[in-house]
């Protein structure tokens, strides 16, 4: 996988982290949204980990 794709995945992961932080800290957090964001973030992390392994 090329570096620009990896950078895009890292950026998306950071964006999800920011959304998760905002949702978690608001007065009445949406637990369904939190669950969805965590799941998306984990999926991206798995993709990044898989792509960084030597071929």
């Amino acid at each position: 996988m090329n570096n620009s794709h990896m950078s895009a995945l890292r950026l998306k992961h950071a964006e999800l982290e920011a959304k998760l932080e905002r949702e978690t800290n608001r007065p009445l957090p949406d637990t369904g949204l939190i669950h969805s964001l965590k799941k998306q973030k984990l999926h991206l992390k798995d993709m990044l980990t898989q792509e960084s392994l030597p071929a």
Side-chain angles (χ1 to χ4, degrees):
M1 186 173 291
N2 63 28
N3 283 340
S4 63
H5 186 69
M6 293 287 284
S7 294
L9 290 176
R10 285 187 194 100
L11 179 61
K12 181 67 177 170
H13 187 271
E15 289 170 355
L16 288 171
E17 177 64 28
K19 287 180 184 179
L20 184 58
E21 184 73 20
R22 282 193 304 272
E23 186 62 31
T24 302
N25 290 324
R26 71 185 193 100
L28 295 172
D30 180 342
T31 56
L33 178 58
I34 290 172
H35 177 74
S36 175
L37 291 170
K38 284 182 177 183
K39 191 172 181 178
Q40 291 174 52
K41 195 175 135 192
L42 182 59
H43 178 69
L44 285 174
K45 184 178 178 183
D46 289 345
M47 288 175 63
L48 285 164
T49 301
Q50 183 180 15
E51 294 302 326
S52 67
L53 295 175

